[in-house]
Amino acid sequence: MPAKPIVQVLIAATLLAFASASMAGRAGSKSSSSSSSASSKSSSSSAKKADQEEAKPASKGVSINYSSGSSSSGSSAAGTAAAVAAGAAIGAAAGSAAAAKPSPEEEQKRAEQQRKELEASRLADDKRKAEEARKREEIDRLARAAEEDRKQAERRLVEEKRMKELKRAEAARACVIRPVMSDADIARCR
């Protein structure tokens, strides 16, 4: 937004320069003797045609054509054109500066909107943190459950080993060869 007044002032200064140059050209091209009104009318109409021709190449954007109906004071017409251009530039700059400054209601609406956005982002952040905490707790619970399963599997393996040792020890006690054993019992013990 701050660039708009600067651009407007530059445009106004450019227009002022062209307006001053065309007015000075018209003032210089006029004859110093104003013997007849017909010659002054023809020179003013030729000045108007010159202004129209100058305005044609610049018709891409905004074109301002300053032409005065009288041919008596060329320098005062240039001064008038300069004053009009300067006034327009100042008015445009002041208008854009006034437009750039928001009203108290707009400021209040903007502050309310920012407060709502801040509250919404805070709620979203709290929700995200709660979700992360829930996921962390779930991961911890799963890790504890996996650790418990591993410990149970380890206990099971230890218990199975112990049972095999007990069976082997029992079998070793039962396999004491006695004279009353049959050949099948003796083969089983070996």
Side-chain angles (χ1 to χ4, degrees), residues 121-189:
S121 68
R122 189 176 298 134
L123 288 174
D125 191 41
D126 290 345
K127 186 177 179 180
R128 182 187 53 81
K129 285 181 181 178
E131 184 67 22
E132 286 177 359
R134 186 190 64 77
K135 285 181 180 180
R136 233 179 287 121
E137 289 173 3
E138 181 69 16
I139 289 171
D140 290 345
R141 185 187 64 78
L142 290 173
R144 285 192 302 270
E147 183 67 22
E148 186 63 34
D149 288 348
R150 188 188 61 78
K151 286 181 180 179
Q152 284 179 359
E154 212 174 271
R155 283 189 214 123
R156 222 179 10 257
L157 285 174
V158 169
E159 185 64 29
E160 286 175 5
K161 236 184 205 183
R162 190 177 66 80
M163 290 302 283
K164 284 181 184 179
E165 284 294 319
L166 281 176
K167 285 181 182 179
R168 197 177 303 137
E170 191 178 309
R173 269 183 280 150
C175 281
V176 175
I177 298 175
R178 295 182 224 131
V180 288
M181 290 179 78
S182 67
D183 289 337
D185 288 337
I186 292 173
R188 233 189 342 213
C189 283

Side-chain angles (χ1 to χ4, degrees), residues 18-38:
F18 286 127
S20 297
S22 72
M23 289 295 203
R26 272 190 263 147
S29 68
K30 294 180 185 174
S31 63
S32 60
S33 65
S34 57
S35 60
S36 69
S37 65

